[in-house]
Amino acid sequence: MVTEPAVPSTESENEFDPDSPDTQTASALRSLIERIETEVSTLQLSRFSQADALALGLLLVDMATERNLPIAIDIRRNKHVLFHVSLPGATPDNEIWVEKKSRTAQRYAEPSLLVGLKGRLDGGSLEDKGWFDQARYAPHGGAFPIYVKGTGHVATVTVSGLPQKADHNLVVEALTSFSLNMREDTWS
């Protein structure tokens, strides 16, 4: 049985916002964690090549250009950069965030937003923990591991330039569309 990838949910006013300074409920935090874990389990590709990295990167460029988003986009396999672009309005700071968020997703083999949210489960944040190296890692939304069925994490796609949930949701939207197109190509 084939299951469709998760479609990014429309954010509700009650959904946890990691950028908000307001007090938020533990249930909202757990709900967002569950949503992202569902995205991880459903966004599993059948393959991922350098040509696929180019296609995914160009899809993100098209989406961002159409929406006039000032972002940097990066796809890499470990330290091998497969695709990278800085769109109008992106800054050198976005490049720093790409590196740190990508390194976080690579290290934990989970979306960088999920890493950060799990770090909040006991209160505080990962950045508050003395052992967490903020100079190398950023547990903020925007980096998502690319998983291949039967293989696991093979690459990481990262977006930087928007609030962290918006970065994350853009990547999920692109991976969802890319996954659906890949299935259609495989079956035709």
Side-chain angles (χ1 to χ4, degrees):
M1 177 179 166
V2 176
T3 59
E4 294 299 325
V7 176
S9 67
T10 305
E11 290 184 33
S12 71
E13 291 181 22
N14 297 328
E15 189 171 64
F16 189 85
D17 181 358
D19 290 322
S20 175
D22 299 332
T23 301
Q24 301 177 73
T25 66
S27 64
L29 174 60
R30 284 190 300 276
S31 177
L32 182 55
I33 288 171
E34 288 172 15
R35 175 173 68 98
I36 296 170
E37 287 174 338
T38 299
E39 292 166 352
V40 167
S41 67
T42 57
L43 289 172
Q44 305 277 324
L45 305 178
S46 59
R47 66 174 195 278
F48 195 76
S49 66
Q50 286 179 300
D52 293 322
L54 177 61
L56 177 59
L58 292 174
L59 172 62
L60 276 161
V61 168
D62 288 346
M63 292 168 66
T65 301
E66 182 177 295
R67 299 170 193 179
N68 198 30
L69 301 177
I71 62 173
I73 302 164
D74 184 270
I75 302 172
R76 61 184 62 198
R77 181 177 289 127
N78 297 316
K79 293 183 180 185
H80 183 194
V81 176
L82 303 174
F83 183 91
H84 188 90
V85 66
S86 183
L87 297 177
T91 69
D93 286 346
N94 295 125
E95 303 303 324
I96 295 166
W97 282 102
V98 160
E99 287 288 332
K100 291 171 141 186
K101 291 191 292 187
S102 180
R103 196 176 288 129
T104 301
Q106 171 78 29
R107 165 69 178 84
Y108 294 95
E110 290 186 328
S112 54
L113 181 57
L114 183 58
V115 172
L117 294 173
K118 286 180 174 179
R120 293 172 182 246
L121 284 171
D122 295 326
S125 69
L126 273 181
E127 294 92 337
D128 298 334
K129 315 267 189 262
W131 56 264
F132 187 79
D133 185 356
Q134 293 184 59
R136 293 187 44 80
Y137 301 97
H140 298 264
F144 201 102
I146 296 170
Y147 305 101
V148 171
K149 292 175 194 165
T151 302
H153 177 205
V154 298
T156 304
V157 55
T158 307
V159 166
S160 176
L162 307 172
Q164 56 179 315
K165 273 179 49 182
D167 277 346
H168 173 86
N169 290 340
L170 182 64
V171 170
V172 169
E173 181 183 351
L175 279 171
T176 299
S177 177
F178 183 77
S179 175
L180 290 172
N181 288 336
M182 183 179 278
R183 287 180 183 178
E184 290 170 6
D185 290 346
T186 303
W187 291 342
S188 51

